[in-house]
Amino acid sequence: MLDNPVRVRSEARQQILDTLLTNKIPAEYGLRVGVRGGGCGSSWLLGFDTPGPADEVYNVDGVRVIIDRKHLLYVLGAEIGYETGGYTVDK
């Protein structure tokens, strides 16, 4: 199992933790990181979710990160950030 398949920048980490706390989201939820679509038309998938049987769960700097095993290859090395208006993903 990988230690940290993705990185979470400090500003994104703070935003994620604030969102979880402010919205009273239960502890079993985490940040789902994945891809939607395929090829040139793929886009990033970020959202709060609970893990399922096909998921791996990681603790990345105190943030619970959920990744579907089928998406792991595509998200490996991604860096999640936050700017005014939303989250960013760099790979």
Side-chain angles (χ1 to χ4, degrees):
M1 180 156 93
L2 301 162
D3 286 340
N4 288 338
V6 298
R7 290 187 47 215
V8 179
R9 290 190 200 129
S10 59
E11 69 276 6
R13 179 183 179 278
Q14 194 57 55
Q15 189 67 32
I16 292 163
L17 297 176
D18 287 351
T19 300
L20 290 168
L21 187 64
T22 303
N23 295 301
K24 297 179 176 60
I25 297 173
E28 63 267 16
Y29 278 75
L31 180 70
R32 178 171 296 281
V33 179
V35 288
R36 187 185 352 242
C40 296
S42 64
S43 61
W44 289 98
L45 173 68
L46 293 175
F48 295 105
D49 199 2
T50 54
D55 295 323
E56 293 288 342
V57 179
Y58 303 92
N59 183 333
V60 181
D61 298 326
V63 174
R64 189 172 189 192
V65 175
I66 303 166
I67 303 172
D68 185 312
R69 287 184 197 100
K70 295 186 302 254
H71 294 215
L72 200 49
L73 180 65
Y74 303 104
V75 303
L76 204 57
E79 189 172 70
I80 299 162
Y82 185 83
E83 296 172 355
T84 305
Y87 293 95
T88 62
V89 181
D90 295 318
K91 182 152 160 88

